[in-house]
Amino acid sequence: MSQQLRQATLIACSATAVLGLAACGPDNANPSATAAAPAASARAASSTAPAPGPAASTAGLPDGNKLNALLLPATAMPPKFKLDPSGSQSTGDGSIPPASPSAVPADKACDMLNGTGWVNSAGIIAASFAKNNYVDEAQNMFAQELDAYRGNDAQTVMANLKKTFTACHTFTVTQDGQNFSATVTLQSLPGVGDEALQAVITSPEWTGGSTLVAARVGKVVVATYDNEQSNTGTAGVALTKTLVKNAASAH
């Protein structure tokens, strides 16, 4: 796969749009807005019924503003990486209404691994979140997201992501009518948060690859996506470990 085609596949908005969370595109007239209400309604739209009982409580959870303050700054990024305003979103001081889990079809879940909204493949709605993306001129990317969950949802997210990574060990990426075979290599990351998973996505037809890391810190899940043209995004693991330390301060 040519480098240009590889980039187009990785930064396409369709993956995050599966759960109504596309962070780019013509509908975003104000790229820098965090817009808690639209983000909340978009995520809630993927489920059908409110979750009853104590799980609906947001007591003790950090809101989007606090999570946003914990994201890594530009000074922590690799050289030449700059903030992409269109990828910055947060629930602000609001929260997303509770909703029942909504299973993501297997084929869509695998597709979502090839984009910045991949944590949504778990099918669980967060109570609050903050996210942004950093890119360079070659479209290498580091995307970071912090999601705070009600009840035991954070543990369920991690379990569901492990199932998705396993089920998508090999999957097909379609771009411009062509199919490409991708492989997911999964491993745990001991000592990172309360639990952590690393998934590396590669293909013999791609240059470089992507590293996805999900780490749980209490009720907060840290999710990062590091796409590199020259390697598999290993620098993102170190950045994620720093982000995990930040997330620990939210408790």
Side-chain angles (χ1 to χ4, degrees):
M1 182 187 293
S2 70
Q3 187 179 75
Q4 183 177 5
L5 183 59
R6 163 81 169 150
Q7 293 165 1
T9 302
L10 287 166
I11 64 175
C13 291
S14 58
T16 50
V18 172
L19 289 188
L21 281 174
C24 51
D27 292 337
N28 286 30
N30 183 1
S32 63
T34 54
S41 61
R43 288 198 173 197
S46 68
S47 299
T48 57
S57 174
T58 58
L61 293 180
D63 63 16
N65 289 333
K66 185 170 185 178
L67 293 173
N68 190 66
L70 298 174
L71 294 175
L72 298 179
T75 53
M77 296 298 135
K80 299 183 179 181
F81 272 56
K82 296 181 179 180
L83 180 68
D84 175 11
S86 67
S88 298
Q89 290 184 328
S90 163
T91 48
D93 59 5
S95 62
I96 301 172
S100 299
S102 179
V104 178
D107 58 337
K108 293 186 180 299
C110 293
D111 286 343
M112 292 173 72
L113 298 183
N114 209 39
T116 60
W118 62 271
V119 70
N120 297 306
S121 65
I124 307 293
I125 308 301
S128 56
F129 76 95
K131 61 183 293 187
N132 61 33
N133 309 327
Y134 285 85
V135 298
D136 65 10
E137 293 180 353
Q139 295 303 314
N140 296 313
M141 173 187 288
F142 178 77
Q144 57 181 340
E145 180 169 350
L146 294 175
D147 295 273
Y149 293 91
R150 298 173 172 88
N152 296 320
D153 282 353
Q155 290 96 318
T156 304
V157 167
M158 295 298 296
N160 288 358
L161 288 175
K162 185 174 182 178
K163 291 176 182 177
T164 297
F165 290 145
T166 301
C168 300
H169 174 61
T170 57
F171 68 100
T172 300
V173 176
T174 301
Q175 177 70 21
D176 294 339
Q178 298 183 63
N179 293 330
F180 305 93
S181 178
T183 299
V184 176
T185 303
L186 174 64
Q187 68 179 69
S188 61
L189 288 176
V192 180
D194 295 315
E195 55 180 318
L197 299 170
Q198 171 185 309
V200 178
I201 304 178
T202 56
S203 171
E205 298 163 301
W206 291 350
T207 56
S210 302
T211 293
L212 288 60
V213 179
R216 182 178 65 83
V217 183
K219 295 186 177 183
V220 173
V221 172
V222 175
T224 62
Y225 173 90
D226 189 8
N227 168 56
E228 292 284 343
Q229 302 296 324
S230 59
N231 57 62
T232 57
T234 52
V237 178
L239 291 173
T240 304
K241 290 180 179 179
T242 302
L243 187 56
V244 167
K245 293 178 180 179
N246 287 358
S249 68
H251 292 75

